[in-house]
Amino acid sequence: MSDSDVKAGAAAPSIDHNRVLIFDTTLRDGEQSPGATLNLAEKLEIGRQLTRLGVDIIEAGFPIASPGDFEAVTRLAQDIGQSENAPAIAGLARAHKMDIDRAWAAVQWAKKPRIHTFLATSDIHLQHKLRMTRNDCIEQVGEMVSHARSLCADVEFSPEDAGRSDPEFMWQVLTIAIKAGATTLNIPDTVGYCTPGEYGAMIEGIVKNVVGIENVIISAHCHNDLGLATANTLAGIRAGVRQVEVTVNGIGERAGNTSLEEVVMALHTRKQVYGNIKTNIDTTQLVRTSKMVSAMTSIPVQPNKAIVGVNAFAHEAGIHQDGMLKNPLTYEIMRPETVGWSETNLVLGKHSGRHAFSDRLKSMGYELTREELDHAFDRFKVLCDKKKVVTEADLEALVADQIENINEIYKLDAMSVTSGSGNVPVASVRLIDEEGEPHQDAALGNGPVDAICNCINRITGADARLTEFHVHAVTAGIDAVADVTMRIEMTDDNGKKLLFSGRSADTDTMYASGKAYLAALNKGLRRRQTR
Ligand code: KIV
Ligand code: ZN
């Protein structure tokens, strides 16, 4: 295929053996985490932060999946994909013409658009899921990669479930994909089945046996079902992988995907092992990005999570503390400031002006419109009256809460709840709908939170059921902001149970609970409207 056959888009990235491209799929595979639905404003904020972080490619979504996904990928291509040093914007498509055309319609606006198409190659998937023969698979890959390439200069092909595929058959499919114009071959361990030795050997086999492989970039895409995703991805890099598909905080289907921050910091810290292989990542943005993704997906980061967990650089044992005081090298293999920890402790107070407030939000990766900034600043001032010192963690919670609630069908207008021993907890709630109409009711519950949820269900007529409830104090102290995360289950029109999460922060834990429940419920109701 010559370049004149290609309609649009910048050429695919060229191979640099000293550089690993970071393909971030937080907004696609990451958003497939149960309950992690993101609204458009959240996707755009995360997209901007990923650009600041320095990722090379953003997989923005799966455009055929829903009108909302299509709109999000289009907007990311139009807004983020046009910025200076813009990352490439990829859209996922099954190896079907309709999917590919839809993906192209969404990503075409980016300076560097990419179509990422996939078809399974394992016999388990071919026989039981797709009911196709191996020959059908080869034919479909040839036709569909070639169709994608007729639209876009940068085409990635993934043999889904590569980790359980017959290697010789997969080599054949990959050879066909290259002939048809694929520029990146991504090798997914879709079910997280491989061990590092196996995954590395699979890449070596591809390097040796696929015709034309020297002209394309090999990519790793690993799931974490056995907790081996990062190890497998790194084994892939040693065997010749030069693109890694990762998510912030490792979020994703089931046990998640390879975590971006772990791979980046392993390459950064262990040059003796991986050689001088670089990424374009600004490591000082890692913690900020992690916090933003956690706040917006309502998926908390476990405290002992490598690099971005709150305990990742905390030293508890006396012997460790003594060593650290004498020389940090005794117990630290990297400095907290290298990954952006130190900057997150800066504080603001009630004397901080609008300018300082807006500058701080910008440095945290938030670009708010004037109206959003006004609203956030008003809330910040209210918070300052309740709390002497406002940290970045408080601001993160405050702004994430505001962005999450942009798309509200119902807004919480007033709420009161009584509880205690000897009386039945009761909540009264007033909601305002999109037309500005008030709706109010009261309900009992087996505790105050239950009463609030029951009351909101009564008003909205929703069948939602609370399945998870977490409260955590954003900072220490009696005046701490309570950060509440809730997960609810709702049934769609086909009787399928779906999870939605909501998060909210307030110094009043019950009020934050009401808002978190409503945030999750609004997502479920909105989804019903758009499907
Ligand atoms: O895990 C997987 O196989 C995927 C593909 C769509 C690349 O996410
Ligand atoms: Zn995946």
PDB file of all heavy atoms in Angstrom, residues 486-499:
ATOM      1  N   MET A 486     -19.723   5.881  46.553  1.00  0.00           N
ATOM      2  CA  MET A 486     -20.787   4.884  46.614  1.00  0.00           C
ATOM      3  C   MET A 486     -20.888   4.166  45.297  1.00  0.00           C
ATOM      4  O   MET A 486     -20.615   4.739  44.242  1.00  0.00           O
ATOM      5  CB  MET A 486     -22.126   5.567  46.875  1.00  0.00           C
ATOM      6  CG  MET A 486     -22.291   6.002  48.293  1.00  0.00           C
ATOM      7  SD  MET A 486     -23.988   6.507  48.508  1.00  0.00           S
ATOM      8  CE  MET A 486     -24.021   6.808  50.252  1.00  0.00           C
ATOM      9  N   ARG A 487     -21.278   2.931  45.368  1.00  0.00           N
ATOM     10  CA  ARG A 487     -21.505   2.158  44.155  1.00  0.00           C
ATOM     11  C   ARG A 487     -22.933   1.635  44.250  1.00  0.00           C
ATOM     12  O   ARG A 487     -23.340   1.153  45.320  1.00  0.00           O
ATOM     13  CB  ARG A 487     -20.525   1.010  44.130  1.00  0.00           C
ATOM     14  CG  ARG A 487     -20.323   0.440  42.766  1.00  0.00           C
ATOM     15  CD  ARG A 487     -19.111  -0.413  42.815  1.00  0.00           C
ATOM     16  NE  ARG A 487     -17.938   0.418  42.705  1.00  0.00           N
ATOM     17  CZ  ARG A 487     -16.937   0.137  41.897  1.00  0.00           C
ATOM     18  NH1 ARG A 487     -16.957  -0.931  41.167  1.00  0.00           N
ATOM     19  NH2 ARG A 487     -15.893   0.918  41.832  1.00  0.00           N
ATOM     20  N   ILE A 488     -23.675   1.772  43.178  1.00  0.00           N
ATOM     21  CA  ILE A 488     -25.066   1.300  43.216  1.00  0.00           C
ATOM     22  C   ILE A 488     -25.304   0.345  42.051  1.00  0.00           C
ATOM     23  O   ILE A 488     -24.576   0.367  41.053  1.00  0.00           O
ATOM     24  CB  ILE A 488     -26.069   2.472  43.143  1.00  0.00           C
ATOM     25  CG1 ILE A 488     -25.946   3.219  41.798  1.00  0.00           C
ATOM     26  CG2 ILE A 488     -25.904   3.430  44.301  1.00  0.00           C
ATOM     27  CD1 ILE A 488     -27.085   4.194  41.555  1.00  0.00           C
ATOM     28  N   GLU A 489     -26.326  -0.465  42.204  1.00  0.00           N
ATOM     29  CA  GLU A 489     -26.702  -1.395  41.138  1.00  0.00           C
ATOM     30  C   GLU A 489     -28.073  -0.963  40.627  1.00  0.00           C
ATOM     31  O   GLU A 489     -28.972  -0.681  41.421  1.00  0.00           O
ATOM     32  CB  GLU A 489     -26.787  -2.786  41.750  1.00  0.00           C
ATOM     33  CG  GLU A 489     -26.855  -3.895  40.735  1.00  0.00           C
ATOM     34  CD  GLU A 489     -26.917  -5.229  41.464  1.00  0.00           C
ATOM     35  OE1 GLU A 489     -28.019  -5.584  41.924  1.00  0.00           O
ATOM     36  OE2 GLU A 489     -25.874  -5.876  41.576  1.00  0.00           O
ATOM     37  N   MET A 490     -28.190  -0.890  39.302  1.00  0.00           N
ATOM     38  CA  MET A 490     -29.489  -0.569  38.698  1.00  0.00           C
ATOM     39  C   MET A 490     -29.746  -1.564  37.574  1.00  0.00           C
ATOM     40  O   MET A 490     -28.799  -2.084  36.990  1.00  0.00           O
ATOM     41  CB  MET A 490     -29.489   0.861  38.133  1.00  0.00           C
ATOM     42  CG  MET A 490     -29.559   1.919  39.204  1.00  0.00           C
ATOM     43  SD  MET A 490     -29.340   3.590  38.559  1.00  0.00           S
ATOM     44  CE  MET A 490     -30.959   3.942  37.866  1.00  0.00           C
ATOM     45  N   THR A 491     -30.991  -1.790  37.250  1.00  0.00           N
ATOM     46  CA  THR A 491     -31.323  -2.761  36.207  1.00  0.00           C
ATOM     47  C   THR A 491     -31.685  -2.002  34.937  1.00  0.00           C
ATOM     48  O   THR A 491     -32.462  -1.049  34.999  1.00  0.00           O
ATOM     49  CB  THR A 491     -32.525  -3.608  36.664  1.00  0.00           C
ATOM     50  OG1 THR A 491     -32.264  -4.010  38.001  1.00  0.00           O
ATOM     51  CG2 THR A 491     -32.716  -4.832  35.804  1.00  0.00           C
ATOM     52  N   ASP A 492     -31.116  -2.413  33.785  1.00  0.00           N
ATOM     53  CA  ASP A 492     -31.461  -1.702  32.549  1.00  0.00           C
ATOM     54  C   ASP A 492     -32.744  -2.282  31.949  1.00  0.00           C
ATOM     55  O   ASP A 492     -33.347  -3.202  32.508  1.00  0.00           O
ATOM     56  CB  ASP A 492     -30.283  -1.684  31.559  1.00  0.00           C
ATOM     57  CG  ASP A 492     -30.042  -3.021  30.888  1.00  0.00           C
ATOM     58  OD1 ASP A 492     -30.835  -3.956  31.121  1.00  0.00           O
ATOM     59  OD2 ASP A 492     -29.064  -3.137  30.132  1.00  0.00           O
ATOM     60  N   ASP A 493     -33.139  -1.754  30.772  1.00  0.00           N
ATOM     61  CA  ASP A 493     -34.428  -2.164  30.189  1.00  0.00           C
ATOM     62  C   ASP A 493     -34.460  -3.650  29.847  1.00  0.00           C
ATOM     63  O   ASP A 493     -35.522  -4.248  29.714  1.00  0.00           O
ATOM     64  CB  ASP A 493     -34.710  -1.336  28.925  1.00  0.00           C
ATOM     65  CG  ASP A 493     -34.867   0.127  29.289  1.00  0.00           C
ATOM     66  OD1 ASP A 493     -35.149   0.411  30.470  1.00  0.00           O
ATOM     67  OD2 ASP A 493     -34.669   0.987  28.402  1.00  0.00           O
ATOM     68  N   ASN A 494     -33.269  -4.266  29.664  1.00  0.00           N
ATOM     69  CA  ASN A 494     -33.245  -5.699  29.332  1.00  0.00           C
ATOM     70  C   ASN A 494     -33.072  -6.574  30.573  1.00  0.00           C
ATOM     71  O   ASN A 494     -32.760  -7.757  30.480  1.00  0.00           O
ATOM     72  CB  ASN A 494     -32.088  -6.004  28.364  1.00  0.00           C
ATOM     73  CG  ASN A 494     -32.181  -5.153  27.135  1.00  0.00           C
ATOM     74  OD1 ASN A 494     -33.283  -4.966  26.609  1.00  0.00           O
ATOM     75  ND2 ASN A 494     -31.057  -4.609  26.684  1.00  0.00           N
ATOM     76  N   GLY A 495     -33.189  -5.973  31.733  1.00  0.00           N
ATOM     77  CA  GLY A 495     -33.075  -6.742  32.974  1.00  0.00           C
ATOM     78  C   GLY A 495     -31.634  -6.974  33.393  1.00  0.00           C
ATOM     79  O   GLY A 495     -31.361  -7.712  34.344  1.00  0.00           O
ATOM     80  N   LYS A 496     -30.684  -6.331  32.699  1.00  0.00           N
ATOM     81  CA  LYS A 496     -29.275  -6.528  33.053  1.00  0.00           C
ATOM     82  C   LYS A 496     -28.905  -5.607  34.216  1.00  0.00           C
ATOM     83  O   LYS A 496     -29.288  -4.439  34.229  1.00  0.00           O
ATOM     84  CB  LYS A 496     -28.428  -6.190  31.818  1.00  0.00           C
ATOM     85  CG  LYS A 496     -27.024  -6.659  31.891  1.00  0.00           C
ATOM     86  CD  LYS A 496     -26.332  -6.464  30.557  1.00  0.00           C
ATOM     87  CE  LYS A 496     -24.851  -6.396  30.791  1.00  0.00           C
ATOM     88  NZ  LYS A 496     -24.145  -5.576  29.871  1.00  0.00           N
ATOM     89  N   LYS A 497     -28.144  -6.171  35.169  1.00  0.00           N
ATOM     90  CA  LYS A 497     -27.752  -5.354  36.323  1.00  0.00           C
ATOM     91  C   LYS A 497     -26.485  -4.571  35.972  1.00  0.00           C
ATOM     92  O   LYS A 497     -25.510  -5.153  35.520  1.00  0.00           O
ATOM     93  CB  LYS A 497     -27.477  -6.247  37.531  1.00  0.00           C
ATOM     94  CG  LYS A 497     -28.747  -6.866  38.090  1.00  0.00           C
ATOM     95  CD  LYS A 497     -28.488  -7.449  39.457  1.00  0.00           C
ATOM     96  CE  LYS A 497     -29.673  -8.035  40.158  1.00  0.00           C
ATOM     97  NZ  LYS A 497     -30.970  -7.972  39.585  1.00  0.00           N
ATOM     98  N   LEU A 498     -26.516  -3.260  36.205  1.00  0.00           N
ATOM     99  CA  LEU A 498     -25.359  -2.425  35.883  1.00  0.00           C
ATOM    100  C   LEU A 498     -24.908  -1.686  37.135  1.00  0.00           C
ATOM    101  O   LEU A 498     -25.731  -1.353  37.994  1.00  0.00           O
ATOM    102  CB  LEU A 498     -25.736  -1.388  34.816  1.00  0.00           C
ATOM    103  CG  LEU A 498     -26.193  -1.944  33.474  1.00  0.00           C
ATOM    104  CD1 LEU A 498     -26.723  -0.833  32.595  1.00  0.00           C
ATOM    105  CD2 LEU A 498     -25.026  -2.655  32.774  1.00  0.00           C
ATOM    106  N   LEU A 499     -23.595  -1.448  37.203  1.00  0.00           N
ATOM    107  CA  LEU A 499     -23.050  -0.730  38.364  1.00  0.00           C
ATOM    108  C   LEU A 499     -22.724   0.711  37.983  1.00  0.00           C
ATOM    109  O   LEU A 499     -22.219   0.970  36.893  1.00  0.00           O
ATOM    110  CB  LEU A 499     -21.749  -1.399  38.816  1.00  0.00           C
ATOM    111  CG  LEU A 499     -21.865  -2.763  39.474  1.00  0.00           C
ATOM    112  CD1 LEU A 499     -20.485  -3.337  39.732  1.00  0.00           C
ATOM    113  CD2 LEU A 499     -22.642  -2.647  40.787  1.00  0.00           C
TER     114      LEU A 499
END
